[in-house]
Amino acid sequence: MREATEPTERERDPEAVSKFVEGFAAQLVEAGMQRMPARVFAALLSSDSGALTSAELGARLQVSPAAVSGAVRYLAQQHMVSREREPGSRRERYRVHSDQWYEALTNREAVLKRWESALREGVTSLGADTPAGRRMAETLAFFEFVDGEIAAMMERWRVHREERFGSV
């Protein structure tokens, strides 16, 4: 049950919400995300349902359907949003899930594994005793370390999340 002091999405100040969306999107851009996907992600994150159609996103962000489409394609590839069909309709809704950070991070494991494989090949090709080979070996060791730490951290997150928010 919601407290009387918590505004619903309809009761919120649209200007304040827009300011949050643009501010958070700017932070994501600063961290390396493309601008339009950052704006779409922030808009989805700030909606109560966590899901909006292309038309709803376009209206909220004042952008074209093509801009939304490209942004959603990027976000889906990064495992940050999913596409859903509206029942009885051809329209798609784009959804951000409560575990989107977990999904995005754990899906990076495959990328880390590919990098580790390429780096192993680099060490072999360059020779482990050469300066370049040692640098490559240290880079490989770093990614192996990060890979192990991410796995352990994600397990700790699952436990923490369940303690804090219950079974989701």
Side-chain angles (χ1 to χ4, degrees):
M1 184 153 173
R2 114 182 143 80
E3 292 180 25
T5 58
E6 293 179 20
T8 65
E9 197 162 355
R10 283 201 166 119
E11 297 166 339
R12 289 187 193 116
D13 176 7
E15 193 173 314
V17 173
S18 179
K19 185 176 178 181
F20 162 77
V21 166
E22 296 305 327
F24 187 58
Q27 294 296 316
L28 293 171
V29 168
E30 194 172 306
M33 187 182 281
Q34 299 168 6
R35 183 172 183 270
M36 190 52 61
R39 292 181 72 213
V40 167
F41 182 75
L44 285 168
L45 196 61
S46 68
S47 70
D48 281 344
S49 66
L52 298 167
T53 65
S54 180
E56 291 167 332
L57 283 163
R60 284 181 186 219
L61 300 173
Q62 299 178 340
V63 297
S64 70
V68 171
S69 177
V72 167
R73 185 172 39 258
Y74 171 84
L75 291 167
Q77 289 170 346
Q78 302 305 311
H79 305 280
M80 294 180 76
V81 302
S82 60
R83 298 170 191 248
E84 303 172 344
R85 286 262 185 231
E86 285 189 342
S89 170
R90 292 181 52 190
R91 289 180 15 172
E92 287 186 328
R93 296 183 71 74
Y94 308 109
R95 177 173 301 281
V96 65
H97 296 279
S98 58
D99 63 351
Q100 79 275 351
W101 298 114
Y102 171 83
E103 288 297 323
L105 196 54
T106 54
N107 281 305
R108 295 286 185 226
E109 263 186 285
V111 172
L112 286 176
K113 294 293 185 198
R114 287 195 306 270
W115 289 355
E116 290 170 19
S117 177
L119 288 164
R120 270 189 210 87
E121 188 177 311
V123 171
T124 301
S125 299
L126 297 166
D129 297 340
T130 67
R134 283 191 296 275
R135 190 170 45 252
M136 199 77 52
E138 185 176 342
T139 303
L140 170 59
F142 172 77
F143 284 119
E144 289 171 336
F145 175 81
V146 167
D147 191 23
E149 289 298 305
I150 288 174
M153 182 178 63
M154 290 296 100
E155 183 55 37
R156 289 191 310 272
W157 165 247
R158 281 190 288 273
V159 170
H160 176 77
R161 181 179 183 210
E162 186 162 329
E163 288 171 356
R164 185 155 182 197
F165 298 103
S167 186
V168 193

